Amino acid sequence: MSEAVVQQIVNVLGEKRTFLLTTHIHPDGDAIGSVLALRAALVQMGKACEVVNTDGVPQLCSFVPTCEFILAQPTCARADVGLILDCSGQDRIAAPPEALAACDLRIIIDHHQSSQPNADLNWIDPTASATGELIYELIKRLPVEIDATIATCLYTALATDTGGFRFSNTTPRVLRAAAELVERGADPHKITYHLFEERSAKASKILGIALSRLQQDCGGRLTWSVLDRATFDALQADDDDIENVVNFVRNVRGTEIGVLFREGDDGRVRVSLRSNSRYDVSRIAEEFGGGGHRAAAGCRLRTTLEDAVARVLHRARQVLAADGPSSPMNHQPLTMLS
Ligand code: 5GP
Ligand code: MN
């Protein structure tokens, strides 16, 4: 099934001339690295490409080579092929719908469990740790040399979605791909420094605030934190500044489900869910109109912060109550510190 679709995609990339590449809104390193690696490969093949993301490039990814080619809006009237990478939902595509509708053919390449295969060609492989892993496998079949730019883009994608090759999706397959990318010029130290260690002063402060507000329930198996509008406004912080904060919430010892609630400036509450992979948090996210992966998922609720917290935690408690505590440790709930 996937072999046939991959071959069809290889054929289309060889035959067609012009391409519009896009990914999801609020793009991460997998999204940015995947589109830029495929762009570089298509450019090597002599194709015309435009990369669009209506949200632009996050500060976190500003080190990725060729990110200056990502446009907020398309400039070409139409392209032969629209490529949608790492995007699990129709409402998350970061390109104007009319630009994709104008393409002769649309292709989705994705690794989300909750992906909706509604394009002309759909390559969806939830066993891949990152969309970048699929793009690596695709590029290996193209008449393209993996140069340092492609290697850096793809390594950024793999490192992002595996949390620097530490999460439960770190497989021999992704490590083999990463090894070849290092041979081809990706610098693991530099890339993972930018992705996971370097933080702006604002991001460091907001991490501190989020951690100081940790709350727990279900004997410590459920841990969450809440960032309200006033906190963002006081620091003049935005979404870029809370990247990875939810992982610190999940990493509190004994936690099986970690949740970060963030009050947006658009009347919506963004919810990030993480699990220790025993629980499938994408199911919880889907119930609220979101999606993602077993161990990392998210959703946005158009409601008040208090209501979003109450509803999502209610479902998380039910999920955890369904099969009882998994460890004999008795965790005391933390008190709210601020
Ligand atoms: P994050 O918590 O880092 O924003 O997202 C974690 C995962 O959940 C990512 O794979 C992301 O694609 C997915 N995700 C986050 N928010 C949403 C959402 O609103 N809808 C869908 N379908 N997926 C989401
Ligand atoms: Mn991804």
Coordinates of all heavy atoms in Angstrom, one line a residue, residues 7 44 47 49 52 61 67 69 74 77 103 130 163 178 184 221 223 258 276 282 307:
Q7 N 5.8 5.2 -4.7 CA 6.3 5.2 -6.1 C 5.5 6.2 -7.0 O 6.1 6.9 -7.8 CB 6.2 3.8 -6.7 CG 6.9 3.6 -8.0 CD 8.4 4.1 -8.0 OE1 9.1 3.7 -7.1 NE2 8.7 4.9 -9.0
Q44 N 17.1 21.0 -6.7 CA 18.2 20.2 -7.4 C 17.7 19.5 -8.6 O 18.4 19.3 -9.6 CB 18.7 19.1 -6.4 CG 19.8 19.5 -5.5 CD 20.5 18.3 -4.9 OE1 20.7 17.3 -5.5 NE2 20.9 18.4 -3.6
K47 N 13.2 21.9 -10.5 CA 11.8 22.3 -10.4 C 11.6 23.7 -9.9 O 12.4 24.2 -9.1 CB 11.0 21.3 -9.6 CG 11.3 19.8 -9.9 CD 10.7 19.4 -11.2 CE 11.0 18.0 -11.6 NZ 10.3 17.5 -12.8
C49 N 9.6 25.9 -7.2 CA 8.9 25.6 -5.9 C 8.6 26.9 -5.2 O 9.4 27.8 -5.1 CB 9.8 24.8 -4.9 SG 10.2 23.2 -5.4
V52 N 5.0 27.9 1.4 CA 4.1 28.9 2.0 C 3.8 28.4 3.5 O 3.5 27.2 3.7 CB 2.8 29.0 1.2 CG1 1.8 29.8 2.0 CG2 3.1 29.7 -0.1
C61 N 13.1 28.1 14.7 CA 13.6 27.5 13.5 C 14.4 28.5 12.6 O 14.7 28.2 11.5 CB 12.5 26.9 12.7 SG 11.7 25.5 13.5
C67 N 15.4 28.9 5.3 CA 14.1 29.3 5.9 C 13.6 30.6 5.3 O 12.4 30.9 5.4 CB 14.1 29.2 7.4 SG 15.0 30.5 8.2
F69 N 13.2 31.3 2.4 CA 12.3 31.0 1.3 C 10.9 30.7 1.6 O 10.0 30.5 0.8 CB 12.8 29.8 0.4 CG 14.1 30.2 -0.3 CD1 15.3 29.7 0.1 CD2 14.1 31.0 -1.4 CE1 16.5 30.0 -0.6 CE2 15.2 31.3 -2.1 CZ 16.4 30.8 -1.7
P74 N 1.3 32.7 -1.1 CA 1.9 32.4 -2.4 C 2.0 33.6 -3.4 O 1.2 34.5 -3.2 CB 0.9 31.3 -3.0 CG -0.2 31.2 -2.1 CD 0.0 32.1 -0.9
A77 N 0.3 32.2 -9.4 CA -1.1 32.1 -9.6 C -1.5 30.6 -9.3 O -2.5 30.3 -8.6 CB -1.5 32.5 -10.9
C103 N -4.3 23.7 -7.7 CA -3.2 22.8 -8.2 C -3.9 21.6 -9.0 O -5.1 21.3 -8.6 CB -2.5 22.2 -7.0 SG -1.5 23.4 -6.1
A130 N 8.8 11.0 12.5 CA 8.7 12.4 12.1 C 8.3 12.3 10.6 O 8.6 11.4 9.9 CB 10.0 13.1 12.3
G163 N 12.3 14.6 20.3 CA 12.8 15.3 21.5 C 14.3 15.1 21.6 O 14.8 14.8 22.7
A178 N 19.3 9.4 10.9 CA 20.1 10.5 11.5 C 21.6 10.3 11.3 O 22.3 11.3 11.0 CB 19.8 10.6 13.0
R184 N 26.4 13.4 6.1 CA 26.2 14.3 5.0 C 26.3 15.8 5.4 O 25.9 16.7 4.6 CB 24.8 14.1 4.4 CG 24.6 12.7 3.9 CD 25.0 12.5 2.5 NE 24.8 11.1 2.1 CZ 25.1 10.7 0.9 NH1 25.5 11.6 0.0 NH2 24.9 9.5 0.5
R221 N -0.5 11.3 39.1 CA -0.4 10.7 37.7 C -0.9 11.8 36.7 O -0.6 11.6 35.5 CB -1.3 9.5 37.6 CG -0.8 8.4 38.5 CD -1.9 7.3 38.7 NE -2.2 6.6 37.5 CZ -3.4 6.1 37.1 NH1 -4.4 6.4 37.9 NH2 -3.5 5.5 36.0
T223 N -0.6 15.8 35.8 CA 0.1 17.0 36.2 C -0.3 18.1 35.1 O -0.3 17.8 33.9 CB 1.6 16.8 36.2 OG1 1.9 15.7 37.1 CG2 2.3 18.0 36.7
G258 N 0.5 14.7 31.2 CA 0.8 16.1 31.5 C 0.1 17.0 30.5 O -0.1 16.7 29.3
N276 N 3.1 9.4 28.9 CA 4.3 8.5 29.0 C 4.1 7.4 28.0 O 4.8 6.4 28.1 CB 4.5 8.0 30.4 CG 3.3 7.2 30.9 OD1 2.3 7.0 30.1 ND2 3.3 6.8 32.1
S282 N -3.9 11.4 22.1 CA -4.6 11.9 20.9 C -6.1 11.6 20.9 O -6.8 12.4 20.3 CB -3.9 11.3 19.6 OG -4.3 10.0 19.4
D307 N -13.2 26.9 31.8 CA -14.0 25.9 31.3 C -13.1 24.8 30.5 O -13.3 23.6 30.7 CB -15.0 26.5 30.3 CG -16.0 25.4 29.8 OD1 -16.6 24.7 30.6 OD2 -16.1 25.3 28.5

